Amino acid sequence: NRIGNGRTIRTRAARSSESSRSRLPVACQILAATNSAQIPVLASSCRYFSSSRSGGDDDKTKTSTDDDDHGTDSESSSDDAPDQETAPPATNASDSLHRSPISNLDTLPITFSDISRANVSIRSGIVRTPCIPSPFLSEIVGANIYLKTEQRQFTGSFKERGARYAIQRLLQKQQEDGGGSGSGRTKDLPGVIAASAGNHALALAYHGQQLNIPVTVVMPTVAPLAKVDKCKKFGARILIEGSHIGESKAYAETLVQSEGLVYVNGYDDPPILAGAGTIGIEIIDDVPDVDAVVVPVGGAGLIAGVSCAIKTLKPNTEVYGVEPEFAASYTAALEAGKPV
């Protein structure tokens, strides 16, 4: 893989006003605050990003995380895309893309303390994956490259972190509200539901089974059969509805109302982001002198959590978001000033 066309676009997350920020998807609020979503738009053939930065980088240490649902996964690219219905009013993108991060991070939907709590909470239920050096990529790029091996999770994806923590938070809330059977198994919670065609569905189904919480997954007709079968093996109720993930989500929301289920968003839910952010803590633990972290971008939940952790622990570390040239939905959203 060699860099082609020299086409790299670097942008920064928009910083909206306080009123409009509250209407942004959670991930966008985090990225706007940390100002870390510098998005090189790379070709879908996985061309690496080493030429996207000005100046010499030969002495840099970079860490790349595992792929998001929009990366090498076969699921629909719309699985983690923000919904149009939640879009805030359009802003002037040319003015908003280059503003400074906000000064008070405590106003965000999640903070580093949330990520720290998630790190402790999920520790016994997920794999603590290492950052391993890649001599081959290091030679090609001219830097010390480490890979965060999230494919080692039981279902093969980082999505397990957020899914497990989201369920644990619901269990905790149920207990605080006086629910549950008192035996550690909460039966008063009707269950959780999500619309997903792949990794989020697998993660939620698996950890729902582990934590004894009923899981319903609404999948579109284009969902890979292998992932449908795996979700069934984890005991999830699978409903095939809709020709694409948007229609699946709309149907899932009707079940939230009719059956009293709790919807767990795969990219725009605070516990999901906090769970994903635990990757950032592990990166700093394994590679304390890291100069740059490269994160794939789909719905931006992964990079939001990771950047929150990285920028708290090591503010001078650069966080790069990477998305395919022909599926550059986040860059398009930044330019439009709203989810697209």
Side-chain angles (χ1 to χ4, degrees):
N1 293 327
R2 301 184 63 184
I3 296 173
N5 302 327
R7 182 176 181 185
T8 302
I9 302 174
R10 294 179 58 184
T11 62
R12 290 182 180 272
R15 179 200 175 197
S16 306
S17 65
E18 291 296 334
S19 60
S20 63
R21 184 185 296 113
S22 64
R23 296 191 296 273
L24 286 170
V26 173
C28 294
Q29 295 181 51
I30 303 299
L31 292 177
T34 59
N35 206 6
S36 59
Q38 304 174 43
I39 311 293
V41 180
L42 305 187
S44 56
S45 59
C46 301
R47 297 170 183 144
Y48 55 83
F49 83 112
S50 61
S51 71
S52 68
R53 301 169 59 190
S54 60
D57 283 335
D58 290 346
D59 60 344
K60 296 290 186 180
T61 299
K62 303 180 181 70
T63 300
S64 175
T65 66
D66 187 31
D67 59 279
D68 198 341
D69 274 1
H70 289 292
T72 58
D73 199 319
S74 61
E75 102 184 48
S76 170
S77 64
S78 63
D79 184 16
D80 286 342
D83 290 323
Q84 190 73 23
E85 291 80 8
T86 61
T91 59
N92 189 327
S94 62
D95 293 334
S96 63
L97 294 182
H98 303 285
R99 294 183 181 179
S100 302
I102 65 173
S103 57
N104 185 8
L105 298 182
D106 292 333
T107 63
L108 295 173
I110 67 165
T111 64
F112 182 72
S113 62
D114 297 308
I115 297 174
S116 297
R117 283 191 287 269
N119 193 44
V120 174
S121 182
I122 68 175
R123 186 176 295 166
S124 63
I126 57 101
V127 178
R128 201 289 188 193
T129 60
C131 290
I132 61 172
S134 174
F136 178 70
L137 290 178
S138 297
E139 181 179 358
I140 292 177
V141 176
N144 297 318
I145 302 297
Y146 292 78
L147 303 177
K148 181 64 170 158
T149 53
E150 283 297 289
Q151 77 277 7
R152 297 186 181 186
Q153 299 295 343
F154 186 80
T155 63
S157 166
F158 75 94
K159 292 282 188 179
E160 286 193 30
R161 297 172 181 265
R164 184 175 184 86
Y165 189 54
I167 295 174
Q168 288 176 327
R169 289 291 294 157
L170 289 172
L171 289 172
Q172 180 182 358
K173 185 178 186 301
Q174 188 74 13
Q175 292 173 353
E176 291 172 351
D177 292 342
S181 61
S183 62
R185 300 174 63 184
T186 303
K187 296 183 178 180
D188 294 334
L189 189 66
V192 296
I193 186 170
S196 172
N199 288 337
H200 180 54
L202 283 173
L204 201 64
Y206 173 66
H207 286 282
Q209 182 186 63
Q210 296 297 305
L211 297 170
N212 198 38
I213 293 297
V215 174
T216 299
V217 178
V218 183
M219 309 181 88
T221 55
V222 295
L225 291 178
K227 294 190 175 181
V228 174
D229 290 340
K230 286 182 180 179
C231 288
K232 289 181 179 178
K233 289 180 180 179
F234 293 144
R237 176 176 62 151
I238 307 301
L239 303 175
I240 306 298
E241 292 287 343
S243 59
H244 55 78
I245 197 66
E247 293 181 354
S248 298
K249 183 179 180 183
Y251 181 77
E253 289 173 341
T254 66
L255 298 182
V256 171
Q257 299 296 325
S258 62
E259 299 184 12
L261 304 176
V262 178
Y263 191 86
V264 179
N265 194 305
Y267 64 90
D268 194 30
D269 191 55
I272 294 290
L273 271 63
T278 61
I279 293 175
I281 294 178
E282 294 177 6
I283 288 174
I284 297 298
D285 284 346
D286 288 357
V287 193
D289 59 343
V290 62
D291 295 296
V293 179
V294 184
V295 186
V297 176
L302 175 61
I303 192 174
V306 169
S307 63
C308 184
I310 295 292
K311 289 295 186 178
T312 300
L313 296 172
K314 202 167 185 292
N316 291 331
T317 296
E318 296 183 42
V319 179
Y320 287 86
V322 183
E323 57 185 1
E325 182 176 7
F326 297 108
S329 57
Y330 190 74
T331 300
L334 292 177
E335 293 174 348
K338 62 181 180 179
V340 296

